[in-house]
Structures are given as C-alpha cells and as structure tokens.
Amino acid sequence: MMTDDFKRKLQDYKDGKLADEERAELERELEKMELYQSYLDEMMGSEEGKGTKPEALTAREEKIHKREAKLLRKGKWKFRFGTLLTLFSLFIWFTFLSGIGSAIYFSAGEPDVNDVLKDVVESAIAVGYPNVSVYMSSNSGMYFNLKLNGKMTKRVGDERVEVGDLSGNFLFSWLRTYDFAWSDQETNNKFFYFPSDQSIDSSREWKRLDKLPEGTVAEAYVSYKQLYPTGDFLKLFEGKQIEPLWFAVDHGEAMAKGKKGFDPIITSPIGFPAYPNWHPGDGKVTKGERRKTTSYPAIEQYGSAKIRDENFIKSLRILAEHKMAASRLIPFVDMKESLEYVEKNGVKIYGAVVTGPTKEILKLKEDPAVSAIRVGKVALWNWTGEE
C-alpha cells in the first residue's frame, strides 16, 4: 500500500509542482515499481499455471490501484510530451543557426564560395554544351545548402533563344542534385567530325539548307578537315557573312577512340565560346561613388587568340579542380585528362558552331576547308550583320 507522502508526491508530479531533483527521484521510483509489477505479473502468471488462485482485491483496493495506474500513465505522457517539446526546440534552434552558418560559409573568401560554385556550373555549360550559355542565380538556404537556377539559351542569328532550365543544389561544395529541363531536345544531340581521311556524306544537310527560304537564319555545326590554332581558325571567317559562336577543341577523345578503332564522330565535344566565359577575378574592378564596375579585356572579332586560349584552359582547370561536379554536368568527359592533353598539345580547333543567313551558311559547301555540316535551329530573319 502506498504511503500518504508518496501519494502526495504523485499528485504534485501530475501537477508539475515537484522540483527537478524530486521529479527525477520519483521517476526512478516509478520505473522500479514498473519492474516490480512486471515481475509480480510474471510470477502470478506462473502461479496461475500451477492452479494457484490469486487473492482477490477488495473494491477499495481496486479503486486505489486504478487511480495509481491512471496517475502513472499521466506522468509518463507528460514526461514524453516534455521530451518531445525539448527536441522540437532544439530542432528550431539548429535550423536557425544552420541558416546563419550557411550565409557565412557561402559568403566566405574572395571570391566567395557562392560565386565560385556559380562559376563552376556556368563554365561546365560553356565548355561542354556547344552554343549554350547560362547565367545562374543563387540562394543559400538552411543546413548549408545552396540552390542555383538559370535559363539556358543559345544564339540563332542575332537573337538568343531559350532552350531549357538548369537547377542544382550544393551541400557545402558538393553538387548533391541537378536537373536539365530541356525545352529543345535537339540541342543536346549535335556532334562534330574529327579530321580524318574518311569520306563524310553531308548531302542531306546541304540539301536542307538549300531548301530553306530566303529571309531565314540558321545555326550550324561545321566540321573541318584539319586542326587549327585559334588565331588561324578565326581568319577563316574574315569576309564571310556568318559568325562563329563556339569552337570545338581537340581534347584527346579521337585518340582514345583510335585505340579501339578510329571513329571520326565526336559525340562529347568540349570547347569554348567565341566571347570568353569570364571567371571571378578576371576583370578589373573600379570603385565608383555608388557602385563597383568590372571591365574585362577587349576581344577582337578575328583576333585575341592568346586571351581566348588562356580563358579556355583556365575553365578546364576550374572544372578539373571541381571534378565531381564537372563529371555530373558533363558526363563521359574526364576533365583532368582533357586538361593535361590540351596543356601538352595546345589549343587546336577542328569545328565550330556558326550562325548567320541560311544562304550564307550554304556557301560553306564550296569551302575546301569544310568536311561536314549539321544544321541546328532555324529562325525567321533577325540578322543585322549584313553589309
């Protein structure tokens, strides 16, 4: 039978009036009582199995027993609720502190981590996706996550055309998830031909250009019969009413294929845009009265080969440094091996994405340097480069 003092403590426990030490001591006593009760129930059960009949409780004792059991249940649930409330409070604090930590982490450094990770994604698209560019916006969230989003576009004639959306989620500096949502599925299905002695039939593509009407502009993937240094390749376009947009660079894929039997089709080209993809720190920052302005080196239309080459190699170094992110965004290309190959052999170009009036692109059929062509997107006239 419980003492009056113990019953008083149970009532105070139920009402939350006990001090912390008394409450902890009572909870230990209650746990002991539960163990005793479990042991007694087990013993009574075994006695019943032997045919021993347990002594019946009086009505008053049964009433007291039920009341005590009710108090115990209430005490347990109150304790569980308190524990849950404590855990929830800790979760709220952790979320709040992680938000502050995320802001500090992604804004640390010069350039900061936020700009570096944006540059990695933008560089991957510029290098691995011919004539496609993206400008990422970022938002640091809780738990050291950085969300990136951007519209992917390509140029056809003098206008930029949206071809899809790109989103990614970094955990610290690890690209945890990413998603290419292409609105134009053909964008990622173009390829080039590496210089070879094999004959390449592009008659179907030339015929398509011939059938397209005047007053249209087009995008075309043009392959050439030999490798060119950047400066020499740019001179091929002087005097033509077409504009090169992206250059395909030899990065050793054809050589790797040659070990298994030569195949001139390059399905995973890498290269660089005609206008460099500048990186954080490339420009000169000028502080004005109200804001900072950044200026970049001037690029000559058919020159500045050294600046273009250095910018491309720097892009490869950035992607090689962030190899895991690069391998997810540009699958089937080993950036470290590509960088080593280009640094050893130099920047050598074998193809380009060009744009301009459809009939001007058709004239490339008579260019002895051209080996093959693939027609990309076509649009109504928007060309302003006509002389």
Side-chain angles (χ1 to χ4, degrees):
M1 187 72 67
M2 293 187 184
T3 64
D4 291 338
D5 183 58
F6 190 76
K7 291 178 181 179
R8 178 185 58 77
K9 286 185 177 180
L10 282 176
Q11 185 63 44
D12 289 345
Y13 178 77
K14 173 177 176 291
D15 296 335
K17 297 179 180 179
L18 290 178
D20 291 343
E21 292 183 2
E22 290 182 313
R23 179 172 57 81
E25 183 181 353
L26 180 62
E27 287 173 352
R28 288 193 293 270
E29 289 296 323
L30 292 175
E31 289 177 359
K32 290 180 182 179
M33 291 177 67
E34 285 188 272
L35 291 173
Y36 295 154
Q37 184 64 47
S38 299
Y39 179 72
L40 285 173
D41 289 343
E42 183 179 346
M43 293 294 294
M44 292 296 289
S46 63
E47 290 296 324
E48 288 178 4
K50 297 177 182 179
T52 305
K53 186 176 181 180
E55 183 180 350
L57 296 174
T58 65
R60 184 171 179 275
E61 288 175 334
E62 187 175 350
K63 184 177 180 181
I64 292 172
H65 182 73
K66 288 182 178 179
R67 184 183 176 189
E68 291 170 350
K70 186 177 180 181
L71 285 171
L72 286 172
R73 285 195 300 270
K74 285 186 177 179
K76 286 180 182 178
W77 280 110
K78 189 172 183 179
F79 175 73
R80 290 170 182 170
F81 178 75
T83 303
L84 182 63
L85 189 61
T86 300
L87 291 174
F88 182 71
S89 299
L90 290 174
F91 172 74
I92 294 297
W93 271 105
F94 176 72
T95 300
F96 175 72
L97 293 175
S98 73
I100 297 175
S102 295
I104 294 173
Y105 175 79
F106 290 113
S107 61
E110 183 60 43
D112 60 36
V113 177
N114 176 74
D115 287 343
V116 169
L117 296 181
K118 284 169 57 178
D119 184 49
V120 169
V121 176
E122 292 173 359
S123 297
I125 300 305
V127 167
Y129 295 82
N131 190 27
V132 177
S133 62
V134 65
Y135 297 97
M136 306 300 292
S137 61
S138 61
N139 179 31
S140 62
M142 306 299 179
Y143 317 118
F144 298 94
N145 280 286
L146 180 72
K147 295 182 179 179
L148 299 179
N149 295 278
K151 297 284 185 184
M152 294 183 291
T153 63
K154 64 164 44 184
R155 191 175 145 195
V156 183
D158 278 336
E159 293 182 356
R160 300 207 68 86
V161 180
E162 186 177 316
V163 293
D165 296 293
L166 174 60
S167 60
N169 194 332
F170 281 89
L171 176 62
F172 291 97
S173 296
W174 172 54
L175 182 58
R176 187 166 60 88
T177 60
Y178 66 98
D179 179 54
F180 285 94
W182 297 102
S183 57
D184 179 5
Q185 296 297 331
E186 291 298 318
T187 296
N188 207 23
N189 294 327
K190 301 301 179 185
F191 52 85
F192 292 92
Y193 293 92
F194 196 78
S196 71
D197 296 331
Q198 296 184 19
S199 176
I200 301 170
D201 183 12
S202 295
S203 57
R204 184 176 177 181
E205 300 297 311
W206 294 120
K207 185 176 181 181
R208 181 183 174 190
L209 285 170
D210 186 46
K211 294 294 184 182
L212 287 170
E214 292 277 1
T216 57
V217 292
E219 168 204 39
Y221 296 67
V222 185
S223 301
Y224 287 78
K225 294 179 181 179
Q226 69 178 68
L227 296 172
Y228 293 88
T230 303
D232 294 345
F233 191 75
L234 288 167
K235 288 181 172 60
L236 297 176
F237 295 92
E238 288 185 309
K240 292 183 171 67
Q241 279 300 305
I242 57 175
E243 186 177 343
L245 303 174
W246 190 89
F247 306 115
V249 176
D250 175 24
H251 66 288
E253 181 180 347
M255 181 178 291
K257 285 183 175 182
K259 296 177 182 178
K260 303 176 183 178
F262 185 76
D263 181 359
I265 299 177
I266 304 297
T267 55
S268 300
I270 68 169
F272 59 94
Y275 186 77
N277 178 56
W278 301 117
H279 307 288
D282 284 349
K284 181 180 179 181
V285 179
T286 304
K287 294 182 179 180
E289 294 182 1
R290 297 184 178 180
R291 62 178 183 176
K292 298 178 181 178
T293 57
T294 304
S295 57
Y296 297 98
I299 301 297
E300 299 175 9
Q301 186 173 8
Y302 303 112
S304 306
K306 183 179 179 181
I307 295 175
R308 297 175 198 260
D309 290 352
E310 289 175 349
N311 179 263
F312 173 58
I313 291 175
K314 184 174 182 178
S315 296
L316 293 183
R317 287 175 181 157
I318 289 170
L319 294 175
E321 183 180 346
H322 296 83
K323 188 175 180 179
M324 290 186 65
S327 64
R328 304 193 77 185
L329 296 169
I330 315 175
F332 314 118
V333 176
D334 188 310
M335 281 299 154
K336 185 178 179 180
E337 291 182 0
S338 297
L339 172 62
E340 292 174 352
Y341 183 90
V342 172
E343 286 182 327
K344 179 180 178 181
N345 297 280
V347 178
K348 301 295 175 58
I349 299 172
Y350 64 89
V353 180
V354 303
T355 192
T358 301
K359 300 310 177 185
E360 292 295 325
I361 296 176
L362 181 60
K363 292 179 182 179
L364 291 175
K365 184 178 181 181
E366 308 304 324
D367 189 333
V370 173
S371 64
I373 192 169
R374 299 277 297 181
V375 180
K377 291 187 72 66
V378 178
L380 293 176
W381 187 266
N382 59 31
W383 189 251
T384 58
E386 187 175 20
E387 294 179 349

